[in-house]
Amino acid sequence: MHNNSSDPRELRVITDTMPVAAVRCARDGRFIWVNQTYAKWAARAVKDIIGLRIVDIMGARAMEQIQPFVERLLAGEQVAYERFVEMQGLGRRWVKWAYTPTLDARGEVDGWVATGMDIQEAKDANRRKDEFLASLAHELRNPLAPIRNAVAILARKGPQDPEVAWSQSVIERQIDQLSRLIDDLLDIEKISRGKFALKKEYVALEVVVDMALEASRPQINAAGHHLSVLLPSERVVVEGDPARLAQALATLLKHSARHMHSRGSINITGSVESGAVLVAIEDSGAGVPADDDPAVALTLVRGIVSLHQGSVEFRAAPSGQGCEALVRLPLSRGEPRAAEKRVAVFDPRPARPLRVLVADDNRDAADSLQRLLALSGHEVRVAYDGTSALDVGAEFRPRVAILDIGMPGTDGYEVARALRRRQGEEVTLVALTGWGQDADRRRASDAGFDHHLTKPVDPQTLNVLLADVASRKN
């Protein structure tokens, strides 16, 4: 019976639509078969290539360079290498080649098949994907900024109707959720590209758990969940990035808190088993779903733990009700460095009024931030583009300039440099932007910014920053 899967016409369709060049050559280097991608690289029709030799397409110099690989092929060896290839229809590109010898009926090498992948094209595609994700994050963060500012303004207006207060709380939580989701997407992309930087050190398990609880306790308490923590009495040490490990555990705790009815229970248990540290997070509700759950948050958790040579397992809770996330990390015998003692200082008094310049081409973002800062007693001027910001700044001489980066014409970097030249250290420059990747932070620092805040900024974060500026003597 005829089998469509082996139909040469279908095979030709498949090979001709691959983004990989594919050829088959005889022992003497003559082309027996090529696909459309290779033909495009050679800027010739397929029929015009068959029967030609590699040297006819690539030239004598290129043939000399690959001759050692051909000799290894004819000796029956598989060969792979990367090199620059220059072809009429391809240009000069970095290509990864893989060669496999072909055998005749007697088992002797009669030629080879080869595939070539344009590495530069793949890199360009990854770069375009990075740029798309960064732009997407920027566009999503921008509208969140005025929403958060408006909610904060409503909260400052005193006692409200309970329904209004509840609505504000819902909006605030969803803004936080969207902001975290954007950050998680970018972190996942960094992990997939191998650009997720870890600052590893020897750290006690209890320190990581405490950091995770500090980040997740507001959500747990808000839902009325009961929390219990049981860690080993002896000190347990892992080698890893404390902030990232805490991020992974906090994400699991927040996920459990969100997926339970109110007044559920979350139990954290730490133990040591067979040279590994186990952290079990058990909840009494739907909690963490099965392994095939596509949630972005859980993908990030798996990525972070994997970078620490660990694993994450999701299963039914041992109690028979709810779910359990089991994080396994290698046990370390290293010695944690002494933890720095940090004393939190809270000053309920408002910051001394400052002259603040706000510049943002998103008028809602600029106006809402102006209103929010004015409620704290600051004198605020607003500009909606970089040129206006420079004009206002020259007359107003702000103590603090909060600048969007992506303003048309004169952007935030140019405004920052100009203000720094004009006022020196007298002005504190704050970048408030939807661009939040590491490269963006470095560029802001190079332009003279003192701080880089990502939209939507927590109003309390801004209050603390302004209070710190007001406390300094200039």
Side-chain angles (χ1 to χ4, degrees), residues 110-145:
D110 64 356
W112 62 84
V113 294
T115 57
M117 178 180 294
D118 184 351
I119 300 298
Q120 188 62 47
E121 183 179 5
K123 289 181 178 179
D124 289 345
N126 277 328
R127 176 183 53 78
R128 289 192 294 270
K129 182 175 65 173
D130 288 347
E131 291 172 351
F132 168 76
L133 284 175
S135 296
L136 177 63
H138 174 264
E139 294 304 318
L140 290 174
R141 283 175 173 141
N142 268 332
L144 289 177

Side-chain angles (χ1 to χ4, degrees), residues 15 17-23 35 37-38 41 58 79-87 90-99 113-126:
T15 56
T17 54
M18 294 190 308
V20 173
V23 304
N35 73 344
T37 300
Y38 186 84
W41 288 11
M58 303 298 299
V79 177
Y81 65 91
E82 297 181 18
R83 60 183 291 269
F84 278 111
V85 169
E86 190 162 1
M87 299 176 70
L90 180 67
R92 181 173 171 80
R93 308 284 282 187
W94 188 260
V95 176
K96 181 177 182 179
W97 288 101
Y99 290 77
V113 294
T115 57
M117 178 180 294
D118 184 351
I119 300 298
Q120 188 62 47
E121 183 179 5
K123 289 181 178 179
D124 289 345
N126 277 328

Side-chain angles (χ1 to χ4, degrees), residues 44-366:
R44 304 189 187 200
V46 170
K47 64 181 180 61
D48 295 334
I49 297 176
I50 305 304
L52 296 179
R53 298 172 302 163
I54 295 176
V55 68
D56 299 325
I57 301 294
M58 303 298 299
R61 183 177 179 183
M63 191 64 208
E64 289 177 4
Q65 293 175 338
I66 67 172
Q67 187 59 40
F69 302 112
V70 172
E71 292 173 0
R72 289 166 56 188
L73 275 168
L74 297 180
E77 183 181 345
Q78 288 188 328
V79 177
Y81 65 91
E82 297 181 18
R83 60 183 291 269
F84 278 111
V85 169
E86 190 162 1
M87 299 176 70
Q88 186 175 347
L90 180 67
R92 181 173 171 80
R93 308 284 282 187
W94 188 260
V95 176
K96 181 177 182 179
W97 288 101
Y99 290 77
T100 301
T102 57
L103 307 177
D104 61 18
R106 296 174 297 177
E108 297 179 355
V109 176
D110 64 356
W112 62 84
V113 294
T115 57
M117 178 180 294
D118 184 351
I119 300 298
Q120 188 62 47
E121 183 179 5
K123 289 181 178 179
D124 289 345
N126 277 328
R127 176 183 53 78
R128 289 192 294 270
K129 182 175 65 173
D130 288 347
E131 291 172 351
F132 168 76
L133 284 175
S135 296
L136 177 63
H138 174 264
E139 294 304 318
L140 290 174
R141 283 175 173 141
N142 268 332
L144 289 177
I147 296 173
R148 167 162 275 172
N149 292 340
V151 171
I153 291 170
L154 290 174
R156 295 287 298 272
K157 288 298 184 178
Q160 298 171 339
D161 180 280
E163 293 296 325
V164 174
W166 175 85
S167 299
Q168 289 177 210
S169 179
V170 169
I171 296 171
E172 187 68 24
R173 286 197 302 272
Q174 296 308 310
I175 291 172
D176 288 340
Q177 176 67 3
L178 282 171
S179 300
R180 285 194 300 269
L181 184 61
I182 294 168
D183 291 338
D184 288 352
L185 283 170
L186 294 177
D187 281 344
I188 290 171
E189 174 62 13
K190 289 179 183 177
I191 290 174
S192 69
R193 296 287 309 281
K195 294 185 177 181
F196 193 79
L198 294 178
K199 299 178 180 178
K200 287 190 173 184
E201 62 183 75
Y202 296 116
V203 58
L205 176 62
E206 64 185 65
V207 172
V208 174
V209 172
D210 284 346
M211 292 171 65
L213 288 174
E214 182 179 359
S216 60
R217 199 181 292 274
Q219 287 88 340
I220 295 173
N221 292 344
H225 299 316
H226 175 265
L227 176 68
S228 69
V229 182
L230 180 61
L231 300 179
S233 56
E234 70 277 9
R235 185 168 62 179
V236 175
V237 177
V238 296
E239 183 181 8
D241 186 323
R244 292 304 192 178
L245 288 174
Q247 179 185 5
L249 295 183
T251 299
L252 292 173
L253 289 167
K254 293 174 184 177
H255 204 277
S256 287
R258 286 197 304 271
H259 288 77
M260 280 193 295
H261 294 299
S262 60
R263 305 192 182 283
S265 63
I266 299 176
N267 303 319
I268 306 173
T269 306
S271 61
V272 176
E273 179 182 301
S274 302
V277 178
L278 306 181
V279 180
I281 299 176
E282 179 184 348
D283 64 61
S284 60
V288 178
D291 281 327
D292 60 353
D293 187 280
V296 169
L298 302 187
T299 301
L300 178 61
V301 170
R302 287 191 177 97
I304 292 174
V305 174
S306 177
L307 289 176
H308 288 83
Q309 289 74 53
S311 63
V312 184
E313 178 185 352
F314 303 112
R315 62 191 185 187
S319 63
Q321 293 182 342
C323 297
E324 181 182 66
L326 186 64
V327 177
R328 185 184 302 267
L329 296 165
L331 177 66
S332 175
R333 301 298 180 187
E335 186 68 23
R337 66 180 182 181
E340 297 180 3
K341 293 184 178 180
R342 295 179 298 173
V343 179
V345 178
F346 175 71
D347 186 352
R349 296 170 299 174
R352 177 169 55 85
L354 299 169
R355 295 188 311 280
V356 181
L357 168 62
V358 172
D360 197 321
D361 61 318
N362 183 322
R363 286 178 174 261
D364 285 341

Side-chain angles (χ1 to χ4, degrees), residues 371-387:
R371 290 170 180 265
L372 182 61
L373 295 177
L375 287 174
S376 295
H378 299 294
E379 182 183 355
V380 187
R381 299 282 179 88
V382 173
Y384 303 115
D385 59 69
T387 302

